[in-house]
Amino acid sequence: MSLGNNIKKYRHDLGYTQEELAGILCITSQAVSKWESGSGLPDVTQIVPLAQALNVSTDALFGFNTEIYDVNFAEEVEQKANTLRDSGEQSQGALNAVQYLDQQCEENIFNYGIMTSFVQAVGHMSRYVNPNNSYYSGLMENDGKEWKQLIRRTENRAMQVIRYSGDKALVDKCHFSLAWLCWHSGEWEKGMQHVEALPSISNNMLKETLLPYFISIDTEEGRENWKGQICDNYQNFIRALNKQILYTAESMMWVSPLNEVEEKCFWGLSIMDKFMENEKMKAHCQGYYRDTYKFLVAAYLRNDMPGKAAEEWKKLLGKIDEYVEFCSEINKKEPKEVVRIYGNAAARNMEIYTREWIDSKLQFMLGQLRSWSKEDVFSEFEKLV
C-alpha cells in the first residue's frame, strides 16, 4: 500500500476529514488531498507530526507492519541472552547479554521484541554499575562515557517501543526497566515518571475480572474459551503476587534481620506451594519459588549458618526434581495439546525445563551465593550439599 493510501486509511480509521487532519498539522486541506492522491509527498519534517496526528508509528505510515514482527525469533534471541546472562560471573554475564542484544538490535531494526529485551538487559545490568547497590561490581567504572552512551541508546530504543510498537506488554516492560535504570542512576524523579506510566492493581478495576463475562458459553468451544480465560487470569494474578514475594525476599536478604527474612520467605513459599497444587499454575511459580529460596539460603549464609542454608537448599533441590519430572511427563504430549491445556507461556517454560537446563541455573545460583558469603562459610555449605 502506498504512503498516500496509508494516510487515507489511518485518517478514515480516526474519523477525520481532510480538513480536520490539515487543521491539526497547520497545513491546507489541498496538501492532504495531494498526499492521498499520490500527486505530492509530505516534507520530511512533517512525517513525525503526521504519524502522531494519525496515532500510528512512522513504520506503519510507510507500510511496515510492526505488529507482525518476528515474535518467535525475538523469543529465541531473548533465551540466548538469558543464557549468556546466567553463565559465569554475574556482572560479566549481564554485560555479555547486553552486548549480544545490542548487536541483535542493529541487525533487526524493526523487531520491537528484541529492543525490549535489550532495554530489560541494560536495566538488569545497571545494578552492577551503581556504586550504591549491593550488587555493585565496578562494572564500567573506568569508562563512564561508555555507560552514558549505553543509557542514551537504551532510552532511545525504549522510546521507539513505547511510541510505535502498539504492543502494551512491551511498552510496560520498557517503562519498568527504565524505572530501574533511573533508580540505579540516581534519577529518581525521572524514574517515577516511568513508574507512574505503569498499570496498577490498586484500584482493583482490572480487565481480567470482566473478560470471562464477554465470552459466550452457548457452545462447547465457547465454554472452553471461557475456562481458558479464567485459567489465564489466575496465572497472571499469581505471577504478579509471586513477583512481589520474590522482590521482597531479595530486598530483605540484604538489609533485614534473619528472623524477618525467614518469616517473609516461608510465608511467601507457603503461598506458592498452595498455588502449585493446581498443576496449571506450576510453571508460573517455579522460577519465583527457586529464587525466593535462593535469597533465604543467602540470608543463612550471610548470618554464618551454613548448616541451615544446606538444609533449605536440599529442600529446594527436591522441589526442582519434582518439577523436572513433571515437565518431562508433560512434554511427552503433543505440543498443541500442551498449549491448549496450559497456555503458551507455560508450554514454553516446561519445554525448556530439562535437567541440563536447570543444572546450569543451579551452578549460576551457587556462584551468586558464593559471592555473597564468607569463603569459609560457603566452603562448609558446599561440603554439606
Side-chain angles (χ1 to χ4, degrees):
M1 189 179 289
S2 69
L3 174 60
N5 286 335
N6 286 339
I7 294 172
K8 185 175 182 179
K9 174 190 180 301
Y10 293 126
R11 176 175 63 79
H12 282 171
D13 288 346
L14 292 174
Y16 289 159
T17 64
Q18 289 183 339
E19 290 76 13
E20 287 171 329
L21 178 58
I24 294 172
L25 297 171
C26 299
I27 57 174
T28 66
S29 58
Q30 288 81 4
V32 175
S33 179
K34 287 182 178 180
W35 296 346
E36 293 185 357
S37 67
S39 60
L41 292 172
D43 185 85
V44 66
T45 60
Q46 295 171 316
I47 295 299
V48 172
L50 175 59
Q52 292 174 337
L54 294 173
N55 196 31
V56 298
S57 69
T58 53
D59 291 345
L61 194 62
F62 283 99
F64 296 107
N65 191 344
T66 59
E67 295 182 358
I68 58 170
Y69 68 86
D70 194 335
V71 176
N72 290 333
F73 181 64
E75 290 175 352
E76 290 174 12
V77 168
E78 181 181 22
Q79 286 182 11
K80 183 171 180 180
N82 289 344
T83 299
L84 289 170
R85 183 196 66 197
D86 296 343
S87 300
E89 194 275 324
Q90 298 174 68
S91 61
Q92 186 59 49
L95 178 58
N96 291 342
V98 166
Q99 290 174 336
Y100 166 71
L101 288 166
D102 196 12
Q103 182 61 39
Q104 288 298 318
C105 285
E106 293 294 327
E107 295 175 5
N108 302 274
I109 59 175
F110 295 117
N111 196 310
Y112 292 112
I114 294 176
M115 286 186 194
T116 301
S117 293
F118 169 77
V119 175
Q120 291 180 295
V122 176
H124 170 77
M125 192 182 83
S126 63
R127 67 182 64 192
Y128 302 111
V129 183
N130 176 12
N132 298 317
N133 190 270
S134 302
Y135 292 94
Y136 176 64
S137 66
L139 192 66
M140 288 191 171
E141 65 180 351
N142 296 323
D143 198 341
K145 181 179 179 181
E146 182 183 0
W147 175 235
K148 289 179 181 178
Q149 290 174 340
L150 185 59
I151 290 177
R152 187 156 54 248
R153 198 153 64 251
T154 303
E155 290 175 333
N156 288 340
R157 285 173 178 159
M159 294 314 297
Q160 280 185 265
V161 175
I162 290 168
R163 290 173 178 169
Y164 304 130
S165 74
D167 188 325
K168 193 173 188 313
L170 298 185
V171 170
D172 289 344
K173 288 178 181 179
C174 284
H175 278 303
F176 192 90
S177 298
L178 287 177
W180 273 120
L181 183 57
C182 290
W183 188 82
H184 285 301
S185 301
E187 298 183 90
W188 289 9
E189 185 175 342
K190 185 177 177 182
M192 275 302 299
Q193 294 175 9
H194 294 293
V195 172
E196 293 297 335
L198 289 166
S200 170
I201 63 171
S202 60
N203 64 12
N204 202 29
M205 300 298 165
L206 301 172
K207 70 177 184 179
E208 283 83 1
T209 305
L210 294 175
L211 281 173
Y213 288 89
F214 286 82
I215 297 175
S216 172
I217 57 173
D218 294 337
T219 65
E220 184 63 32
E221 181 182 3
R223 287 190 288 274
E224 285 299 313
N225 291 339
W226 177 73
K227 288 189 288 186
Q229 184 62 62
I230 291 173
C231 182
D232 287 347
N233 289 354
Y234 279 126
Q235 289 174 348
N236 288 332
F237 288 134
I238 283 171
R239 288 170 60 211
L241 181 55
N242 286 348
K243 190 168 190 175
Q244 184 60 47
I245 292 170
L246 170 59
Y247 276 36
T248 299
E250 179 180 19
S251 300
M252 293 187 73
M253 183 272 286
W254 292 106
V255 300
S256 300
L258 179 59
N259 66 309
E260 293 182 10
V261 179
E262 288 179 307
E263 178 186 0
K264 291 297 182 186
C265 286
F266 285 131
W267 175 75
L269 290 167
S270 70
I271 291 174
M272 294 188 212
D273 277 326
K274 193 65 180 177
F275 288 155
M276 287 190 286
E277 289 179 8
N278 182 331
E279 68 172 31
K280 293 182 180 179
M281 304 302 141
K282 286 179 181 288
H284 301 275
C285 295
Q286 193 65 30
Y288 298 104
Y289 194 92
R290 180 185 68 231
D291 285 344
T292 301
Y293 245 116
K294 175 181 70 178
F295 292 118
L296 174 62
V297 170
Y300 285 127
L301 291 174
R302 287 170 60 80
N303 282 273
D304 300 337
M305 300 174 66
K308 191 64 176 173
E311 179 183 333
E312 297 303 327
W313 180 260
K314 290 176 182 177
K315 290 180 184 178
L316 172 60
L317 294 183
K319 285 286 186 180
I320 287 173
D321 288 342
E322 291 176 10
Y323 189 62
V324 169
E325 184 177 350
F326 172 77
C327 291
S328 177
E329 290 301 311
I330 294 298
N331 289 328
K332 292 176 183 177
K333 299 180 180 181
E334 286 294 323
K336 288 184 179 179
E337 181 68 3
V338 176
V339 170
R340 186 187 69 79
I341 297 173
Y342 298 95
N344 282 302
R348 288 195 301 271
N349 176 288
M350 292 185 287
E351 182 181 10
I352 67 170
Y353 210 104
T354 62
R355 170 54 61 186
E356 181 181 21
W357 183 86
I358 190 57
D359 282 347
S360 68
K361 285 284 186 184
L362 290 172
Q363 287 304 309
F364 180 74
M365 288 169 61
L366 287 170
Q368 289 181 306
L369 293 171
R370 181 190 297 275
S371 70
W372 300 335
S373 315
K374 297 175 185 175
E375 186 174 342
D376 59 330
V377 174
F378 187 80
S379 294
E380 182 61 26
F381 166 75
E382 274 192 309
K383 293 176 185 177
L384 294 171
V385 299

